[in-house]
PDB file of all heavy atoms in Angstrom:
ATOM      1  N   GLY A 191     -34.710   5.255  33.325  1.00  0.00           N
ATOM      2  CA  GLY A 191     -34.556   6.217  34.415  1.00  0.00           C
ATOM      3  C   GLY A 191     -35.906   6.666  34.951  1.00  0.00           C
ATOM      4  O   GLY A 191     -36.114   6.736  36.172  1.00  0.00           O
ATOM      5  N   ARG A 192     -36.828   6.971  34.019  1.00  0.00           N
ATOM      6  CA  ARG A 192     -38.166   7.379  34.453  1.00  0.00           C
ATOM      7  C   ARG A 192     -38.888   6.241  35.163  1.00  0.00           C
ATOM      8  O   ARG A 192     -39.637   6.459  36.127  1.00  0.00           O
ATOM      9  CB  ARG A 192     -38.983   7.859  33.249  1.00  0.00           C
ATOM     10  CG  ARG A 192     -38.503   9.183  32.654  1.00  0.00           C
ATOM     11  CD  ARG A 192     -39.534   9.772  31.722  1.00  0.00           C
ATOM     12  NE  ARG A 192     -39.758   8.946  30.548  1.00  0.00           N
ATOM     13  CZ  ARG A 192     -39.060   9.068  29.411  1.00  0.00           C
ATOM     14  NH1 ARG A 192     -38.084   9.962  29.323  1.00  0.00           N
ATOM     15  NH2 ARG A 192     -39.330   8.303  28.377  1.00  0.00           N
ATOM     16  N   HIS A 193     -38.648   5.009  34.683  1.00  0.00           N
ATOM     17  CA  HIS A 193     -39.266   3.841  35.310  1.00  0.00           C
ATOM     18  C   HIS A 193     -38.758   3.676  36.740  1.00  0.00           C
ATOM     19  O   HIS A 193     -39.551   3.403  37.663  1.00  0.00           O
ATOM     20  CB  HIS A 193     -38.950   2.591  34.492  1.00  0.00           C
ATOM     21  CG  HIS A 193     -39.548   1.330  35.041  1.00  0.00           C
ATOM     22  ND1 HIS A 193     -40.898   1.106  35.081  1.00  0.00           N
ATOM     23  CD2 HIS A 193     -38.959   0.229  35.586  1.00  0.00           C
ATOM     24  CE1 HIS A 193     -41.136  -0.073  35.620  1.00  0.00           C
ATOM     25  NE2 HIS A 193     -39.968  -0.637  35.940  1.00  0.00           N
ATOM     26  N   ARG A 194     -37.462   3.872  36.936  1.00  0.00           N
ATOM     27  CA  ARG A 194     -36.900   3.757  38.291  1.00  0.00           C
ATOM     28  C   ARG A 194     -37.445   4.841  39.205  1.00  0.00           C
ATOM     29  O   ARG A 194     -37.751   4.596  40.378  1.00  0.00           O
ATOM     30  CB  ARG A 194     -35.362   3.819  38.227  1.00  0.00           C
ATOM     31  CG  ARG A 194     -34.711   2.542  37.711  1.00  0.00           C
ATOM     32  CD  ARG A 194     -33.220   2.556  37.952  1.00  0.00           C
ATOM     33  NE  ARG A 194     -32.567   3.624  37.184  1.00  0.00           N
ATOM     34  CZ  ARG A 194     -32.056   3.459  35.972  1.00  0.00           C
ATOM     35  NH1 ARG A 194     -32.151   2.273  35.376  1.00  0.00           N
ATOM     36  NH2 ARG A 194     -31.483   4.454  35.333  1.00  0.00           N
ATOM     37  N   ASP A 195     -37.588   6.065  38.654  1.00  0.00           N
ATOM     38  CA  ASP A 195     -38.159   7.160  39.458  1.00  0.00           C
ATOM     39  C   ASP A 195     -39.592   6.844  39.861  1.00  0.00           C
ATOM     40  O   ASP A 195     -40.000   7.092  41.007  1.00  0.00           O
ATOM     41  CB  ASP A 195     -38.125   8.468  38.653  1.00  0.00           C
ATOM     42  CG  ASP A 195     -36.720   9.011  38.475  1.00  0.00           C
ATOM     43  OD1 ASP A 195     -35.829   8.568  39.232  1.00  0.00           O
ATOM     44  OD2 ASP A 195     -36.517   9.868  37.602  1.00  0.00           O
ATOM     45  N   LEU A 196     -40.352   6.280  38.917  1.00  0.00           N
ATOM     46  CA  LEU A 196     -41.740   5.939  39.206  1.00  0.00           C
ATOM     47  C   LEU A 196     -41.824   4.848  40.286  1.00  0.00           C
ATOM     48  O   LEU A 196     -42.642   4.906  41.188  1.00  0.00           O
ATOM     49  CB  LEU A 196     -42.422   5.467  37.917  1.00  0.00           C
ATOM     50  CG  LEU A 196     -43.930   5.107  38.063  1.00  0.00           C
ATOM     51  CD1 LEU A 196     -44.729   6.292  38.592  1.00  0.00           C
ATOM     52  CD2 LEU A 196     -44.465   4.624  36.703  1.00  0.00           C
ATOM     53  N   GLN A 197     -40.919   3.867  40.160  1.00  0.00           N
ATOM     54  CA  GLN A 197     -40.882   2.801  41.152  1.00  0.00           C
ATOM     55  C   GLN A 197     -40.576   3.358  42.529  1.00  0.00           C
ATOM     56  O   GLN A 197     -41.190   2.978  43.536  1.00  0.00           O
ATOM     57  CB  GLN A 197     -39.834   1.743  40.784  1.00  0.00           C
ATOM     58  CG  GLN A 197     -40.287   0.736  39.729  1.00  0.00           C
ATOM     59  CD  GLN A 197     -39.266  -0.343  39.526  1.00  0.00           C
ATOM     60  OE1 GLN A 197     -38.050  -0.072  39.521  1.00  0.00           O
ATOM     61  NE2 GLN A 197     -39.731  -1.561  39.352  1.00  0.00           N
ATOM     62  N   ALA A 198     -39.621   4.270  42.581  1.00  0.00           N
ATOM     63  CA  ALA A 198     -39.224   4.874  43.865  1.00  0.00           C
ATOM     64  C   ALA A 198     -40.396   5.635  44.475  1.00  0.00           C
ATOM     65  O   ALA A 198     -40.613   5.572  45.700  1.00  0.00           O
ATOM     66  CB  ALA A 198     -38.023   5.785  43.666  1.00  0.00           C
ATOM     67  N   ARG A 199     -41.152   6.349  43.647  1.00  0.00           N
ATOM     68  CA  ARG A 199     -42.306   7.101  44.160  1.00  0.00           C
ATOM     69  C   ARG A 199     -43.390   6.160  44.668  1.00  0.00           C
ATOM     70  O   ARG A 199     -44.009   6.415  45.692  1.00  0.00           O
ATOM     71  CB  ARG A 199     -42.879   7.993  43.045  1.00  0.00           C
ATOM     72  CG  ARG A 199     -41.957   9.137  42.650  1.00  0.00           C
ATOM     73  CD  ARG A 199     -42.562   9.944  41.516  1.00  0.00           C
ATOM     74  NE  ARG A 199     -41.668  10.998  41.076  1.00  0.00           N
ATOM     75  CZ  ARG A 199     -41.915  11.817  40.063  1.00  0.00           C
ATOM     76  NH1 ARG A 199     -43.077  11.681  39.386  1.00  0.00           N
ATOM     77  NH2 ARG A 199     -41.066  12.744  39.713  1.00  0.00           N
ATOM     78  N   LEU A 200     -43.598   5.070  43.921  1.00  0.00           N
ATOM     79  CA  LEU A 200     -44.611   4.098  44.360  1.00  0.00           C
ATOM     80  C   LEU A 200     -44.221   3.459  45.691  1.00  0.00           C
ATOM     81  O   LEU A 200     -45.062   3.275  46.576  1.00  0.00           O
ATOM     82  CB  LEU A 200     -44.783   3.007  43.280  1.00  0.00           C
ATOM     83  CG  LEU A 200     -45.512   3.451  42.021  1.00  0.00           C
ATOM     84  CD1 LEU A 200     -45.468   2.332  40.975  1.00  0.00           C
ATOM     85  CD2 LEU A 200     -46.947   3.837  42.323  1.00  0.00           C
ATOM     86  N   VAL A 201     -42.939   3.131  45.820  1.00  0.00           N
ATOM     87  CA  VAL A 201     -42.450   2.534  47.072  1.00  0.00           C
ATOM     88  C   VAL A 201     -42.640   3.521  48.219  1.00  0.00           C
ATOM     89  O   VAL A 201     -43.077   3.169  49.317  1.00  0.00           O
ATOM     90  CB  VAL A 201     -40.971   2.122  46.926  1.00  0.00           C
ATOM     91  CG1 VAL A 201     -40.400   1.776  48.307  1.00  0.00           C
ATOM     92  CG2 VAL A 201     -40.836   0.954  45.978  1.00  0.00           C
ATOM     93  N   ALA A 202     -42.334   4.819  47.942  1.00  0.00           N
ATOM     94  CA  ALA A 202     -42.482   5.835  48.966  1.00  0.00           C
ATOM     95  C   ALA A 202     -43.940   6.000  49.366  1.00  0.00           C
ATOM     96  O   ALA A 202     -44.269   6.156  50.564  1.00  0.00           O
ATOM     97  CB  ALA A 202     -41.919   7.155  48.464  1.00  0.00           C
ATOM     98  N   LEU A 203     -44.858   5.951  48.373  1.00  0.00           N
ATOM     99  CA  LEU A 203     -46.290   6.079  48.673  1.00  0.00           C
ATOM    100  C   LEU A 203     -46.790   4.895  49.512  1.00  0.00           C
ATOM    101  O   LEU A 203     -47.531   5.060  50.473  1.00  0.00           O
ATOM    102  CB  LEU A 203     -47.096   6.163  47.368  1.00  0.00           C
ATOM    103  CG  LEU A 203     -46.993   7.493  46.596  1.00  0.00           C
ATOM    104  CD1 LEU A 203     -47.706   7.354  45.257  1.00  0.00           C
ATOM    105  CD2 LEU A 203     -47.622   8.618  47.427  1.00  0.00           C
TER     106      LEU A 203
END
Side-chain angles (χ1 to χ4, degrees):
R192 290 195 295 271
H193 181 66
R194 285 192 295 268
D195 289 343
L196 182 58
Q197 280 186 320
R199 291 178 183 177
L200 287 173
V201 168
L203 287 173

